[in-house]
Amino acid sequence: AQSVSQHNHHVILSEAASLELGCNYSYGGTVNLFWYVQYPGQHLQLLLKYFSGDPLVKGIKGFEAEFIKSKFSFNLRKPSVQWSDTAEYFCAVTGGYQKVTFGIGTKLQVIP
Amino acid sequence: DAGVIQSPRHEVTEMGQEVTLRCKPISGHDYLFWYRQTMMRGLELLIYFNNNVPIDDSGMPEDRFSAKMPNASFSTLKIQPSEPRDSAVYFCASSFRGQAFFGQGTRLTVV
């Protein structure tokens, strides 16, 4: 069975600080990896995705993520966060049967 | 495409009443998922379908919950009878090649 774990449940940063959110997955086969963002009061939206190719993936709003196969990780990074990045971030994986499995989510609070 | 469409956006009902949530997935997507989101439990997968067939309903909390997908363009999640602890935001999502697209959600309040 596939699973996703996100290490940080609640992160508080000041504006301009760097961000790294951890995500590890468990699945024995080929996976597709995603990060979704949920702004307050809204639905989940895709931030970035990895299917194959370059393991460093760039997404919207300056976010990027690196797929490290040997570590089963797909950490999300942003060099300098803004107040508008305050949201909840979900890592997700799909493997066999295309079932989408989400992590528990990380709430990011950016303080101006 | 208009994206995943859910209705209603908000529902307030009295305990014991039947509630039906509706979802229209994106055309061509072969997977459909129902999620529930609360502050306490976060995002929970309730059930998902592949080509209109329920694949895994192990996340459905109780027999009071049921879901159907009579065709590729429509799904319902029914709660009967509803209870206050069912209050949550219910999201429907459809996916293609593993990428999920979410609807705006239905905020359910059971009083």
Side-chain angles (χ1 to χ4, degrees):
Chain A
Q2 60 198 48
S3 66
V4 178
S5 75
Q6 292 183 240
H7 315 303
N8 318 100
H9 295 170
H10 199 172
V11 173
I12 301 174
L13 294 173
S14 298
E15 273 193 318
S18 64
L19 170 72
E20 181 159 2
L21 302 182
C23 171
N24 285 91
Y25 68 92
S26 172
Y27 183 70
T30 302
V31 294
N32 298 327
L33 296 157
F34 306 84
W35 277 97
Y36 289 83
V37 59
Q38 185 179 28
Y39 297 104
Q42 297 188 25
H43 62 292
L44 276 76
Q45 304 167 52
L46 183 69
L47 199 55
L48 49 78
K49 62 186 176 185
Y50 172 81
F51 282 178
S52 63
D54 188 344
L56 184 62
V57 180
K58 295 193 184 299
I60 60 172
K61 302 186 179 185
F63 285 91
E64 65 179 30
E66 186 175 12
F67 170 50
I68 303 180
K69 189 175 181 179
S70 60
K71 295 185 178 180
F72 297 91
S73 70
F74 191 55
N75 291 356
L76 181 71
R77 299 194 291 251
K78 186 170 183 178
S80 175
V81 294
Q82 301 172 322
W83 177 78
S84 58
D85 294 326
T86 295
E88 190 161 12
Y89 293 81
F90 294 87
C91 182
V93 61
T94 64
Y97 303 108
Q98 298 292 307
K99 173 187 172 183
V100 183
T101 300
F102 284 88
I104 197 168
T106 298
K107 287 185 169 65
L108 171 65
Q109 184 179 355
V110 180
I111 301 171
Chain B
D1 203 311
V4 176
I5 300 173
Q6 289 187 247
S7 63
R9 291 291 308 277
H10 301 273
E11 176 82 33
V12 180
T13 190
E14 291 185 345
M15 181 175 64
Q17 296 297 306
E18 175 182 305
V19 175
T20 299
L21 311 181
R22 296 172 176 80
C23 175
K24 181 180 187 304
I26 294 173
S27 176
H29 285 194
D30 52 356
Y31 282 80
L32 183 139
F33 306 84
W34 281 101
Y35 292 90
R36 177 172 70 175
Q37 188 176 37
T38 62
M39 289 291 291
M40 293 296 295
R41 293 175 175 268
L43 192 67
E44 302 173 274
L45 176 63
L46 300 178
I47 184 172
Y48 75 99
F49 296 82
N50 176 220
N51 293 324
N52 314 338
V53 176
I55 302 300
D56 184 353
D57 65 354
S58 60
M60 297 285 259
E62 298 171 38
D63 291 344
R64 299 184 295 107
F65 287 70
S66 62
K68 293 182 180 179
M69 192 166 185
N71 57 62
S73 59
F74 185 65
S75 177
T76 59
L77 177 68
K78 184 180 293 186
I79 308 172
Q80 180 185 19
S82 58
E83 296 182 4
R85 60 194 168 117
D86 301 331
S87 297
V89 179
Y90 290 81
F91 288 104
C92 175
S94 65
S95 77
F96 178 70
R97 288 192 65 198
Q99 181 177 335
F101 294 79
F102 282 78
Q104 297 283 340
T106 295
R107 182 173 294 278
L108 173 66
T109 304
V110 183
V111 298

